[in-house]
């Protein structure tokens, strides 16, 4: 049993610290003070001199005085994040000679002067992200000779000052207003991680990075690059690279990455890739993770090596649920990781004779890709034994037939062939056993004799028709006919290509023969299911995967034709225009008289609705929400207390609920 004297010695430091703890703060060993959400405009006074770690985030602090940190010689970590500090007084941190971690993120700083961080010779981590910094003095960081990490992302910088920090290991200047990075900006011989994402860069100067021989991580995502930077050939020690979000990048060449033998993580998501060069990942023998989501992949035989690599490689595919095919139509929306060799149209069966084929007109051409050789069609395509592509149909003179040039690649499914009908319109010639616009429907079997057993009835699939680039018409007639005692229809659809895959459910009457789903994303894959109203989704629902078309200029511009002038075409529109003008004038007078009567009625009874109430916006404003229905505010938003938080793009914008507290930043 320990003596009372020993217990007193053990409890003495904690008791001493607790006695000097300011009000509304919590003090604990080892010499750490937490002053969180105090709702005070100043730094707490009366802190213990032995304090090593001081957390004063989310306090509503608006300004700092020159002596607010006096008497804290042992302080090593200071967290002032998520306050409302707009400026830093001269030499405000000079009393903190031993400070190693300073967090000023999520404040309202506008400028960093050459005297903001005087005296911090041992500072290792400086976090200034999520402020409003527009200008940094060229000598602002020169005295920070021990600095290891500098975070300046999410500010309003238009230029980066020359950085001469010989010990710096991490630099993040992402999501600023920097259009170009000048040569001589980085004098950082030991830099290991550089993040320059979201800067609207259309190129990266090779001389800018060639001195960063120690670089291990490079993030140049969400810029405007149209090609892979040549500077990558100089960065042989790179282990992590992100090119994601450079939507102008449509091709990747293996020679651009030949020096990156040490690469372990590669992000090529959200580019404009239809395919990847064969054995592209063989250049990275140490690769552990790859992300290729949100690319319009054309899943044909040229991509079979990628599917095989995914199943055999030890590297993991990140965001696999968002890595899907866009083309051809039979593979649109399917997970790339789950495709089989036969799904890619590779030659595995002999040609199919068209002597017993049935014909159906191809009203809307299927999407195509410029990277795939055209498939042909008056006769069945010929398969080459030494190639994975289909040989074009040629005439006796050795020229390609007109259908070979007009038919979209892989327009017809299940062995069907494409040709022009008598009216020069595309149509699919379907083999025996298949029918439909693209030969996508399995035809019911025909009994060969009266004694033969009748073939089982197959459930009829729902048909999808494109209406522009953002709408899909769902034909419900077949489904209604296949069901008895149907009270209503439950239609569910979800986007398979984008980040938000939450399903949208609609309740439709059983008498509705077709329904048009509108306001969809163009060039995206959707999963559409139809089931009986009142039941939850189950395996008996009819489900299809459809692909919206890519918006083109032809879908928006009016079609003009050069024809001789016709008197009827001139007079009739003129008469109709005159009638419409007269109707509009009459409607305007009626509307004015009605508004006057409503105004008198409001004056008599004191009631009325504002336009905000009619649009559903006023309720959002009264609840403190800054965004109306149907609008999205990317990035950050301001809460009622003035703090800035990260708002997910897909969160409901008119909830009336208080904004949750932002997560705490993590220290390295």
């Amino acid at each position: 049993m320990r003596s009372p004297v020993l217990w007193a010695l053990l409890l003495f430091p904690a008791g001493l610290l607790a006695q000097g703890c300011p009000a509304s703060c919590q003090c604990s060993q080892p010499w750490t003070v937490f002053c969180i959400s105090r709702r005070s405009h100043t730094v707490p006074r009366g802190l213990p001199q032995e304090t090593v770690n001081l957390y004063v985030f989310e306090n509503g602090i608006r300004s700092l005085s020159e002596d607010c940190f006096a008497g804290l010689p042992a302080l090593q970590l200071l967290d002032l994040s998520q306050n409302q500090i707009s400026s830093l007084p001269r030499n405000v941190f000079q009393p903190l000679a031993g400070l190693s971690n300073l967090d000023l993120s999520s404040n309202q700083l506008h400028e960093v002067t050459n005297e903001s961080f005087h005296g911090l010779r041992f500072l290792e981590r400086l976090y200034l992200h999520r402020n409003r910094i527009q200008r940094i003095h060229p000598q602002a960081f020169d005295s920070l000779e021990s600095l290891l990490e500098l975070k300046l992302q999410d500010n309003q910088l238009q230029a980066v000052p020359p950085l001469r920090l010989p010990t710096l290991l991490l630099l993040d200047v992402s999501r600023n207003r920097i259009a170009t990075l000048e040569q001589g900006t980085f004098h950082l011989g030991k830099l290991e991680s550089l993040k320059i994402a979201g800067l609207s860069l259309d190129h990266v100067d090779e001389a800018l990075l060639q001195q960063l021989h120690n670089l291990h991580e490079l993030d140049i995502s969400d810029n405007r690059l149209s090609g892979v930077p040549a500077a990558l050939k100089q960065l042989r020690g790179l282990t992590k690279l992100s090119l994601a979000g450079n939507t102008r990048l449509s091709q990747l060449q293996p020679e651009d990455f030949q020096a990156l033998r040490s690469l372990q993580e590669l992000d090529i998501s959200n580019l404009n890739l239809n395919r990847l060069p064969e054995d592209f990942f063989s250049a990275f023998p140490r690769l552990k993770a790859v992300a290729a989501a949100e690319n319009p992949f054309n899943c044909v035989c040229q991509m079979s090596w990628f599917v095989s690599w995914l199943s055999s490689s030890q590297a993991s595919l990140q965001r696999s649920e968002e890595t899907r095919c866009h083309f051809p139509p039979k593979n649109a929306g399917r997970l790339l990781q789950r495709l089989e060799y036969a799904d890619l149209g590779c030659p595995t069966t002999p040609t199919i004779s068209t002597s017993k084929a049935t014909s159906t007109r191809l009203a809307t051409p299927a999407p195509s890709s410029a990277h795939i050789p055209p498939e042909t069609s008056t006769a069945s395509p010929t398969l080459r034994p030494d190639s994975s592509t289909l040989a074009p149909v040629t005439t006796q003179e050795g020229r390609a037939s007109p259908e070979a040039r007009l038919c979209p690649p892989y327009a017809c499914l299940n062995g069907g062939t494409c040709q022009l009908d008598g009216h020069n319109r595309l149509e699919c010639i379907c083999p025996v056993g298949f029918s439909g616009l693209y030969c996508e429907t399995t035809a019911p079997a025909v009994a060969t004799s009266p004694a033969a057993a009748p073939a089982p009835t197959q459930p009829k699939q729902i048909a999808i028709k494109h209406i522009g680039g953002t709408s899909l018409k769902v034909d419900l007639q077949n489904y209604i006919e296949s069901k008895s005692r149907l009270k209503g229809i439950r239609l569910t659809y979800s986007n398979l290509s984008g980040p938000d895959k939450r399903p949208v459910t609609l309740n439709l009457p059983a008498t509705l023969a077709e329904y048009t789903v509108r306001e969809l994303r163009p060039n995206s894959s959707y999963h559409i299911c139809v089931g009986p109203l009142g039941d939850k989704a189950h395996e008996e629902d009819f489900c299809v995967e459809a692909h919206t078309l890519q918006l083109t200029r032809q879908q928006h511009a009016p079609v003009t034709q050069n024809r001789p002038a016709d008197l009827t075409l001139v007079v009739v529109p003129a008469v109709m225009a005159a009638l419409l003008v007269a109707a509009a004038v009459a409607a305007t007078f009626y509307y004015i008289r009605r508004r006057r009567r409503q105004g008198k009625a409001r004056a008599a009874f004191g009631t009325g609705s504002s336009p905000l109430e009619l649009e559903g916006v006023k309720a959002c404003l009264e609840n403190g929400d800054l965004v109306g229905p149907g609008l999205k505010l990317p990035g950050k938003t301001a809460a009622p207390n003035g703090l800035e938080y990260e708002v997910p793009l897909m969160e409901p914008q008119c909830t009336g609920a208080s904004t949750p507290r932002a997560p705490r930043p993590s220290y390295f």
Side-chain angles (χ1 to χ4, degrees):
M1 185 175 180
R2 299 178 180 177
S3 62
V5 177
L6 182 58
W7 279 109
L9 292 175
L10 292 175
L11 296 177
F12 176 74
L16 180 62
L17 187 61
Q19 290 179 0
C21 192
S24 66
C25 295
Q26 296 180 356
C27 303
S28 62
Q29 285 185 320
W31 317 109
T32 300
V33 179
F34 293 93
C35 302
I36 305 172
S37 303
R38 292 172 54 248
R39 296 295 181 266
S40 175
H41 300 318
T42 59
V43 176
R45 298 287 183 173
L47 295 168
Q49 294 185 358
E50 298 84 359
T51 303
V52 176
N53 304 316
L54 176 59
Y55 296 89
V56 199
F57 59 86
E58 199 177 338
N59 275 232
I61 299 175
R62 297 179 179 176
S63 61
L64 301 176
S65 59
E66 295 183 1
D67 59 342
C68 60
F69 299 113
L72 298 173
L75 195 64
Q76 297 181 11
L77 184 148
L78 176 59
D79 188 342
L80 292 168
S81 63
Q82 302 183 51
N83 285 291
Q84 302 176 31
I85 303 172
S86 58
S87 62
L88 299 176
R90 177 181 179 183
N91 301 329
V92 63
F93 301 112
Q94 193 165 7
L96 308 177
L99 195 66
S100 59
N101 298 277
L102 177 58
D103 191 347
L104 289 165
S105 62
S106 298
N107 276 281
Q108 300 178 14
L109 296 175
H110 293 273
E111 183 182 9
V112 178
T113 68
N114 60 336
E115 298 177 341
S116 298
F117 304 111
H118 268 188
L120 301 181
R121 293 180 52 194
F122 300 101
L123 190 67
E124 296 179 350
R125 296 171 181 86
L126 177 59
Y127 298 160
L128 296 169
H129 53 284
R130 296 191 182 95
N131 275 277
R132 303 176 183 177
I133 301 175
Q134 300 178 0
R135 181 179 179 275
I136 299 178
H137 194 277
Q139 284 81 40
F141 307 122
D142 285 357
S143 61
L144 307 180
E145 55 190 47
S146 303
L147 197 63
L148 302 177
E149 299 177 12
L150 177 59
K151 295 186 177 182
L152 295 168
Q153 68 268 27
D154 297 297
N155 277 288
Q156 300 175 13
L157 292 171
Q158 296 184 0
V160 177
L163 298 176
R164 299 174 178 85
L165 300 169
T167 61
L168 195 68
L169 301 179
L170 182 148
L171 174 63
D172 193 344
V173 294
S174 302
R175 295 177 296 280
N176 276 279
R177 300 177 179 177
I178 303 170
T180 57
L181 290 172
E182 302 293 339
Q183 295 186 19
T185 301
F186 302 143
H187 301 274
L188 312 169
K190 295 184 178 180
L191 193 69
E192 295 182 356
S193 177
L194 176 61
K195 300 181 180 181
I196 50 177
L199 298 184
S200 301
L201 300 177
D202 54 9
H203 73 284
V204 178
D205 199 320
E206 187 173 358
L208 186 71
L209 302 178
Q210 64 182 0
Q211 298 180 354
L212 305 179
H213 301 294
N214 200 43
L215 200 63
H216 298 326
E217 178 182 2
L218 177 61
D219 185 356
I220 50 178
S221 60
D222 298 322
N223 281 288
R224 299 179 180 177
L225 302 179
S226 56
V228 177
L232 294 183
K233 299 178 181 179
Q234 310 290 334
L235 306 177
R236 298 183 178 273
L238 210 62
T239 61
K240 186 175 181 180
L241 172 64
S242 177
L243 294 168
N246 288 280
T247 54
R248 297 183 180 181
L249 260 175
S250 59
Q251 292 183 352
L252 298 179
Q253 302 299 333
E255 53 268 21
D256 295 330
F257 303 89
Q258 59 185 0
L260 306 182
R261 305 290 296 178
S262 301
L263 199 67
Q264 299 180 14
E265 299 182 28
L266 176 63
D267 192 348
I268 51 175
S269 301
N270 195 20
L271 303 181
N272 194 21
L273 301 178
N274 292 116
R275 64 182 184 91
L276 289 171
E278 188 170 357
D279 296 331
F280 174 73
F281 297 110
S282 61
F284 317 118
R286 300 182 181 180
L287 195 64
K288 296 181 179 179
V290 60
E294 297 186 82
N295 278 293
F297 285 125
N298 194 351
C299 297
V300 292
C301 202
Q302 287 86 345
M303 287 285 287
S304 60
W305 74 267
F306 188 23
V307 177
S308 176
W309 180 85
L310 290 175
S311 59
S312 61
S313 175
Q314 296 181 354
S316 62
L317 180 64
Q318 306 294 321
R319 300 174 61 189
S320 59
E321 288 293 325
E322 300 174 45
T323 310
R324 297 177 179 265
C325 304
H326 279 216
F327 312 106
K330 70 171 185 177
N331 288 333
R334 298 183 63 181
L335 290 175
L336 195 67
Q337 200 170 22
R338 296 182 183 177
L339 290 178
E340 300 291 340
Y341 183 77
D343 297 330
L344 299 171
C346 297
T348 55
T349 57
T351 59
I352 302 174
S353 174
T354 59
S355 58
K356 298 181 180 180
T358 57
S359 173
T360 178
R361 184 174 300 155
L362 183 61
T364 305
S368 61
S369 172
H371 300 286
I372 306 303
E375 183 181 337
T376 64
S377 63
T378 50
S380 298
T382 305
L383 301 178
R384 299 179 185 173
D386 59 341
S387 175
S388 60
T389 60
L390 297 174
V393 173
T394 57
T395 61
Q396 295 180 356
E397 292 80 5
R399 301 176 182 176
S401 64
E403 293 84 349
R405 297 189 298 269
L406 294 177
C407 288
Y410 302 93
C412 302
L413 308 180
N414 298 312
T417 55
C418 176
Q419 72 173 17
L420 296 178
D421 63 5
H423 302 281
N424 291 328
R425 290 178 293 189
L426 301 181
E427 65 178 5
C428 279
I429 302 298
C430 300
V432 176
F434 296 95
S435 62
L437 193 63
Y438 303 110
C439 305
E440 74 279 5
T441 305
T442 304
V446 180
T448 57
S449 64
T457 9
Q458 299 290 337
K460 298 182 179 180
Q461 300 293 330
I462 57 178
I464 305 296
K465 181 179 179 182
H466 296 90
I467 302 180
T470 59
S471 300
L472 293 174
K473 180 178 288 187
V474 184
D475 188 356
L476 303 172
Q477 188 63 37
N478 290 340
Y479 177 77
I480 295 174
E481 293 176 355
S482 64
K483 293 291 183 180
S484 60
R485 299 180 181 179
L486 191 63
K487 298 180 179 179
I489 301 174
R490 171 176 41 79
L491 188 148
T492 305
Y493 65 94
S494 57
N495 188 357
L496 299 177
S497 303
D500 184 20
K501 299 181 178 59
R502 293 176 295 181
V504 178
T505 302
L506 304 173
N507 297 331
L508 307 177
T511 57
L512 193 63
E514 59 183 17
Y515 181 80
T516 302
V517 184
R518 305 183 185 277
E519 297 183 1
L520 303 177
R521 289 182 60 181
N523 198 24
S524 299
S525 299
Y526 280 85
H527 186 68
I528 302 176
C529 291
V530 173
L533 186 63
D535 295 343
K536 297 182 179 179
H538 47 73
E539 297 180 355
E540 296 182 1
D541 287 355
F542 293 119
C543 297
V544 295
E545 290 187 359
H547 185 79
T548 54
L549 301 178
Q550 185 173 5
L551 291 179
T552 61
R553 183 179 300 177
Q554 295 177 355
Q555 292 175 313
H556 299 285
V559 178
T560 59
Q561 298 179 351
N562 296 325
R563 294 182 178 178
D566 189 352
L567 185 60
T568 305
L569 297 178
V570 176
V571 174
V572 173
V575 174
M576 293 301 297
L579 293 177
L580 290 176
V581 170
V585 172
T588 303
F589 281 107
Y590 173 77
Y591 177 75
I592 294 174
R593 294 182 60 188
R594 183 178 178 183
R595 294 292 296 175
R596 289 177 178 175
R597 293 176 182 176
Q598 291 178 351
K600 294 179 181 180
R602 292 193 189 96
F605 297 99
T607 59
S609 300
S610 68
L612 293 179
E613 289 176 329
L614 297 178
E615 296 294 334
V617 180
K618 187 174 182 180
C620 295
L621 298 178
E622 292 176 350
N623 293 333
D625 296 323
L626 302 180
V627 184
L631 299 178
K632 298 177 181 178
L633 182 62
K636 297 176 290 185
T637 185
N641 55 7
L643 303 180
E644 291 180 347
Y645 299 90
E646 292 292 331
V647 179
L649 293 180
M650 304 309 299
E651 285 293 325
Q653 300 299 331
C654 181
T655 60
S658 58
T659 308
R661 180 179 300 175
R664 290 291 307 116
S666 59
Y667 293 99
F668 291 86

